[in-house]
Amino acid sequence: MAYREVSVIEVREVLRGWLGGAGLRTVAAQAGVDRKTARRYVQAAEAVGVVREGGWVQVTDEVVGAVVAAVRPARPEGHGGAWQLLEGQRQQITAWVDQGLTVVKIRALLERRGVVVPYRTLHRFCVQCCGFGRGSETVRVVDGEPGAECQVDFGKMGMLYDVAADRRRTVHALIFTAVYSRHMFVWLTFTQTLDAVVAGCEAAWGFFGGVFRVLIPDNMSPVVADADALNPKLTVGWLDYAQHCGFVTDTARVRHAKDKPRVERTVQYVRSSCWAGETFVDLADAQSRTRIWCAQVAGQRVHGTIQARPVEVFSEHEAGLLLPVPAPYDVPMFKRCKVHRDFHLEIGKALYSVPKVYIGQYLDVRADSALVKLFHNGQLVKVHPRQRPGGRWTDPDDLPAEKVGYAMRDLDRLIAAARRHGCDVGIYAERLLDDPLPWTRMRAVYRLLGLARRYGDEAVNTACGKALEVDVVSVTKIASMLERGTEDTPASPPRPAAAAATRFARDPGEYATARAQLRLVHPTTNTGAGTGTGTGSSVDTTVEGAR
């Protein structure tokens, strides 16, 4: 038996077809799974309460998770035992196919050799590995029902200047051709990514006024993840968009242009009639003029096959049968990410937290512009709001309780943790964090909590209370008190301030009030006749003063 990874998109695709009224064979073909697998999905959905009359609203993430959990296989290799038996007979089976034997006859011959395998497995092996059923003949396929099918293909147009890249780039045309009416729409793009294809589809639905029920693209990489003639595997992103719009994808086979001949014939017509000889200013100008060309030139020409104007046939027979135009689609990102040891995973260059139990495991991610959904084995485990590149969204419940405050720099949580060790411890933590840059003081609070775990809540609470009485805010002092066991010693009363000599005080002697006496001597001069000599006498004068 073959091992298959059961994806959320695959389960939703099967349930969407089944709830829409299709049979299991049709549902399996549309979803690209085996009919038995589709039946298992449906039975698992019914077991959890999904009823066919209840509609699509029943298919929630929880229901899909329950279905995946119920049907997930446990086989480690890509194919089952029957396929391995056929591998041993590949050369002989190829020879029988070359001889023109039918699969029924080949099965009978294998049973004679003791190789008993299911017919469906043998048929698939003959087609995929031995060239069974391949011929050169072809027939003209009828157009089908109006409004049912639309063929899609990329075609290379030429070179055009890209303003954003500041250089000339190759322009590709995504061409939509209605199978019944041959009405067509062309979307020009520089890339062939999923975003470009979705943008072209959104523009096409607006041009046609609705959505075709079946899209037939080639094996473009944004649509087909693994090409196969019978069971192609579509990309998760494309299946998600198909579910959003409601259409079914029927991909053409690899290198089989005859599977979509209507759109293949129009590629050359678009290149020669719409693109060749034209001069466009930029891509926006080219798209605008191409849209006009689709409506006024391609739509109004008389088509050689249907011998009518495509726009008239479309308006009369197909326009009213299309599905309604859906709401604008938010192109999501699908990714498989590993949860790192820091409890986060990276999506779009942003970080998102995940519970500890998922560390080291891989999660499936769906991220649009609004939400990021994380799945593990089909179960929705986390939903985050989308962040810009370089941002981070952390749910505190995802982190260990003892590390939340540190990781989130949550001061309130840190103070609350301190209060659990005592009222004074909580007040002391608040005093420690009373800083213009409080997160730089968080380490001191963590040391205080460590002291509480080492010496006990009562001792630390008492020490914090005593320190608060004397207005000492230092964890080092608290640790010293606890080490010496002095947290219970009464605090000494403060010493009175001693009268100390001040630096610039004057000496008391400078303020003396004693009287000071000053004697002044005034000389007297006696002049004699011609001699110029005389004797002097002194006069005492007392001057009182105080300094």
Side-chain angles (χ1 to χ4, degrees):
M1 297 180 68
Y3 175 79
R4 297 182 64 257
E5 281 286 348
V6 181
S7 69
V8 175
I9 294 296
E10 183 178 284
V11 173
R12 291 169 62 92
E13 186 71 8
V14 171
L15 295 181
R16 179 170 73 106
W18 178 70
L19 291 172
L24 287 179
R25 186 186 300 275
T26 303
V27 169
Q30 292 175 353
V33 300
D34 188 80
R35 184 172 49 175
K36 295 180 181 179
T37 301
R39 182 181 293 109
R40 292 171 62 200
Y41 291 168
V42 172
Q43 291 174 349
E46 291 177 331
V48 297
V50 177
V51 295
R52 201 165 193 177
E53 297 77 14
W56 179 249
V57 294
Q58 306 172 89
V59 184
T60 62
D61 291 329
E62 292 73 16
V63 169
V64 175
V67 172
V68 173
V71 303
R72 176 174 294 276
R75 291 172 290 178
E77 298 181 359
H79 292 287
W83 192 280
Q84 298 300 324
L85 292 176
L86 295 176
E87 285 287 354
Q89 304 291 327
R90 179 193 285 261
Q91 185 176 359
Q92 181 60 62
I93 295 174
T94 303
W96 286 336
V97 170
D98 293 339
Q99 295 173 16
L101 274 66
T102 64
V103 177
V104 175
K105 182 61 177 180
I106 293 174
R107 187 186 184 196
L109 295 176
L110 288 174
E111 288 178 352
R112 296 177 189 176
R113 293 173 169 238
V115 180
V116 180
V117 296
Y119 173 82
R120 183 174 177 82
T121 302
L122 176 60
H123 186 278
R124 187 167 63 252
F125 183 85
C126 291
V127 172
Q128 296 183 11
C129 303
C130 303
F132 179 79
R134 299 175 181 174
S136 59
E137 296 83 5
T138 184
V139 295
R140 184 179 292 274
V141 181
V142 297
D143 293 336
E145 299 178 358
E149 297 181 358
C150 180
Q151 297 180 0
V152 185
D153 194 12
F154 265 115
K156 182 179 177 180
M157 294 293 104
M159 302 294 291
L160 186 65
Y161 179 73
D162 183 4
V163 178
D166 194 21
R167 62 184 177 88
R168 289 171 58 83
R169 298 179 63 184
T170 302
V171 177
H172 303 275
L174 184 62
I175 305 173
F176 298 79
T177 302
V179 173
Y180 184 85
S181 65
R182 305 305 199 273
H183 196 27
M184 60 187 299
F185 174 74
V186 180
W187 176 258
L188 302 179
T189 176
F190 287 122
T191 63
Q192 300 185 33
T193 61
L194 178 62
D195 289 354
V197 175
V198 170
C201 290
E202 295 284 282
W205 309 149
F207 178 82
F208 290 121
V211 179
F212 290 86
R213 296 194 295 273
V214 180
L215 252 64
I216 307 176
D218 65 358
N219 287 270
M220 55 184 74
S221 57
V223 175
V224 180
D226 186 11
D228 185 85
L230 297 179
N231 298 307
K233 184 178 180 181
L234 304 181
T235 62
V236 176
W238 180 255
L239 282 175
D240 188 76
Y241 180 64
Q243 293 171 8
H244 172 78
C245 296
F247 62 78
V248 175
T249 306
D250 182 19
T251 60
R253 293 169 293 174
V254 178
R255 292 183 297 275
H256 281 69
K258 295 178 181 180
D259 287 353
K260 46 181 178 55
R262 276 73 172 176
V263 71
E264 285 286 346
R265 295 291 296 173
T266 60
V267 174
Q268 183 178 358
Y269 172 61
V270 173
R271 186 183 297 118
S272 60
S273 177
C274 177
W275 182 269
E278 300 291 340
T279 301
F280 302 104
V281 177
D282 53 17
L283 187 62
D285 176 57
Q287 288 177 347
S288 176
R289 292 168 58 181
T290 299
R291 186 184 185 95
I292 297 174
W293 176 87
C294 291
Q296 299 181 359
V297 178
Q300 295 292 340
R301 80 191 191 282
V302 177
H303 196 278
T305 302
I306 64 175
Q307 290 300 307
R309 300 184 188 277
V311 66
E312 295 177 355
V313 177
F314 174 81
S315 301
E316 181 179 356
H317 298 283
E318 291 195 294
L321 300 177
L322 300 181
L323 300 175
V325 177
Y329 181 67
D330 186 0
V331 181
M333 173 195 306
F334 291 92
K335 197 175 180 183
R336 188 170 177 82
C337 300
K338 184 177 181 180
V339 182
H340 301 291
R341 291 181 298 172
D342 60 359
F343 301 87
H344 288 77
L345 50 75
E346 180 181 347
I347 304 166
K349 298 183 179 180
L351 299 177
Y352 302 88
S353 67
V354 182
K356 180 180 180 179
V357 67
Y358 300 107
I359 289 180
Q361 302 190 38
Y362 284 88
L363 301 184
D364 296 318
V365 179
R366 183 191 187 278
D368 54 29
S369 62
L371 295 177
V372 174
K373 291 186 176 182
L374 308 179
F375 298 87
H376 182 258
N377 293 336
Q379 309 293 330
L380 180 65
V381 299
K382 205 72 182 177
V383 178
H384 292 296
R386 184 69 183 270
Q387 302 298 304
R388 61 171 181 79
R392 185 180 75 173
W393 186 270
T394 302
D395 185 353
D397 295 335
D398 294 338
L399 305 179
E402 67 276 7
K403 296 182 180 180
V404 173
Y406 171 77
M408 304 297 294
R409 287 186 174 181
D410 191 341
L411 303 181
D412 294 336
R413 188 185 295 267
L414 189 58
I415 293 173
R419 285 200 186 100
R420 288 194 288 269
H421 296 284
C423 179
D424 290 335
V425 178
I427 298 174
Y428 208 79
E430 292 182 6
R431 292 289 303 277
L432 289 171
L433 296 174
D434 186 12
D435 189 88
L437 302 175
W439 55 88
T440 63
R441 305 284 295 162
M442 292 177 67
R443 192 174 302 169
V445 179
Y446 281 113
R447 186 184 180 190
L448 183 65
L449 298 179
L451 293 176
R453 290 191 296 269
R454 179 177 180 182
Y455 292 101
D457 295 348
E458 184 178 356
V460 175
N461 192 63
T462 303
C464 290
K466 291 184 59 178
L468 291 172
E469 290 178 2
V470 294
D471 197 25
V472 175
V473 182
S474 172
V475 180
T476 303
K477 294 295 185 182
I478 300 294
S480 177
M481 294 170 61
L482 294 171
E483 289 175 0
R484 294 191 307 236
T486 60
E487 67 276 4
D488 293 325
T489 304
S492 302
R495 296 180 180 180
T502 57
R503 182 175 179 184
F504 297 104
R506 293 182 178 181
D507 186 85
E510 298 182 14
Y511 293 94
T513 57
R515 294 178 180 269
Q517 295 183 352
L518 177 63
R519 175 173 292 179
L520 299 180
V521 178
H522 296 279
T524 56
T525 304
N526 297 325
T527 59
T531 61
T533 62
T535 60
S537 63
S538 63
V539 178
D540 291 338
T541 303
T542 300
V543 178
E544 296 182 2
R547 190 175 180 181

